[in-house]
Amino acid sequence: MKKGISRIPSPYDLNAIMPFIMKRRCDSQVFYNVDFNVGPLLAWIDENKVCTFFQAMLLALVKTMRERPGLNRFVMGRRLYQREDMDICFIARRAYTDEGSETSVKMRVKQEYDDKEVIARIIGGISEAKEGAEKDDDAVISLLIKLPGFVLRAVVNILTWLEFHMCFPKSLEKIDPLHCSAFVANLGSVGIEAPFHHLYEWGTCSLFVAIGKIGKKLVPDESGAPAVRNMVEVKVTLDERIADGYYFARSLDIFKSYVENPETLFESSIQS
């Protein structure tokens, strides 16, 4: 078994048989739509200038997954596995133009990292990606697409077999953005609403989070009266084989609470 990954027994019989019935992630994906009131978070960021909105959303996701380790699981070879550390992936755009290229950022979050270290790693990953230097995953993709089609198909088939049997090369797993705990897409950065995104059959990603643009919306306040708030729509796609619906719903409540209460999101060493 690979370091930092352990096979776990399914919590109940129905969950144990699900990977044999729903063999692919695209058979097992469920979709959640959550609205976040981000007014308090934006005010906190403007006052403290510690991080950006997207970085705060990533921190909220990391803290949620730490509290809810069932989100950091994946199914491979019809078996359920638990990770110890997290790999969070997202896309960094090198320039906001039609010609601007994109690259993936894969961020390892160890259990011992505090909030300050998480934010530092996010900022470092984005800065490195925007510098424009070719990253290892870009180099591998550039090499693979030069292969003849029949050779590339054979390589992918071999790697898929190795992945199914948990023998995927560690060197490739380390740089592959789809071998991750969660993939996050910040669609608000390009001014559009978030779509419901699919999960990929390749890799081990069981959680996809798409963040839309910030906008004014009319919503009920604490007393039920209509009020205008800064809102963000977040679309979440999950592999239902890793946990049950109640676990997912409770996890999203925690995620929402962190985002809407920045005093709890940044209560640890980031303020020191």
Side-chain angles (χ1 to χ4, degrees):
M1 186 60 59
K2 294 182 178 181
K3 184 179 179 181
I5 296 175
S6 57
R7 180 178 163 186
I8 60 174
S10 297
Y12 51 91
D13 291 341
L14 180 59
N15 210 42
I17 200 155
M18 280 301 178
F20 293 89
I21 298 173
M22 297 183 293
K23 300 178 181 179
R24 303 177 299 168
R25 283 192 197 94
C26 62
D27 297 329
S28 315
Q29 56 194 11
V30 292
F31 305 95
Y32 292 86
N33 180 37
V34 188
D35 287 319
F36 294 78
N37 176 7
V38 296
L41 177 59
L42 294 175
W44 193 97
I45 292 171
D46 185 60
E47 178 182 353
N48 293 274
K49 296 179 172 57
V50 172
C51 62
T52 67
F53 171 73
F54 179 57
Q55 291 161 10
M57 294 293 287
L58 288 176
L59 177 60
L61 178 62
V62 167
K63 295 185 74 155
T64 300
M65 294 181 70
R66 280 178 168 166
E67 288 188 38
R68 310 292 284 175
L71 298 177
N72 199 16
R73 297 173 180 170
F74 64 94
V75 173
M76 187 58 65
R78 312 285 186 263
R79 297 290 184 259
L80 185 63
Y81 294 90
Q82 177 73 55
R83 299 180 183 88
E84 292 180 9
D85 298 327
M86 281 180 242
D87 285 313
I88 307 296
C89 289
F90 54 92
I91 295 296
R93 193 168 185 85
R94 293 187 171 109
Y96 287 95
T97 64
D98 288 345
E99 295 77 24
S101 62
E102 293 181 336
T103 187
S104 62
V105 176
K106 186 172 184 178
M107 178 185 69
R108 169 60 58 92
V109 180
K110 294 184 177 295
Q111 292 179 323
E112 62 268 24
Y113 289 173
D114 61 13
D115 296 347
K116 187 174 182 179
E117 178 66 19
V118 173
I119 291 294
R121 292 187 68 81
I122 295 170
I123 295 172
I126 294 174
S127 298
E128 181 182 350
K130 289 190 173 184
E131 286 175 357
E134 187 177 55
K135 296 167 41 267
D136 290 341
D137 57 329
D138 297 325
V140 170
I141 292 173
S142 297
L143 175 63
L144 289 175
I145 60 177
K146 293 177 182 177
L147 297 174
F150 73 94
V151 176
L152 181 55
R153 286 195 300 272
V155 170
V156 170
N157 287 338
I158 291 170
L159 291 175
T160 300
W161 186 91
L162 292 172
E163 184 179 60
F164 184 87
H165 294 281
M166 292 295 289
C167 299
F168 197 81
K170 289 184 179 180
S171 57
L172 292 180
E173 184 178 333
K174 184 178 179 180
I175 63 174
D176 186 347
L178 294 181
H179 281 84
C180 67
S181 306
F183 206 108
V184 185
N186 183 21
L187 281 304
S189 65
V190 292
I192 62 175
E193 294 290 358
F196 282 115
H197 202 285
H198 61 88
L199 296 177
Y200 294 90
E201 292 303 320
W202 179 272
T204 57
C205 181
S206 301
L207 171 61
F208 199 107
V209 179
I211 304 169
K213 63 181 181 179
I214 301 170
K216 301 286 186 181
K217 290 187 179 180
L218 190 65
V219 297
D221 64 13
E222 293 76 9
S223 65
V228 177
R229 297 285 187 265
N230 282 310
M231 304 293 293
V232 165
E233 191 174 48
V234 176
K235 306 285 182 63
V236 180
T237 308
L238 289 151
D239 184 343
E240 70 167 320
R241 298 173 298 176
I242 65 173
D244 59 53
Y246 177 83
Y247 192 93
F248 291 149
R250 179 62 184 138
S251 300
L252 291 176
D253 286 342
I254 293 172
F255 185 27
K256 182 179 175 73
S257 178
Y258 273 130
V259 172
E260 296 187 347
N261 298 278
E263 68 279 2
T264 63
L265 179 59
F266 297 100
E267 66 186 355
S268 66
S269 62
I270 194 169
Q271 292 182 315
S272 60

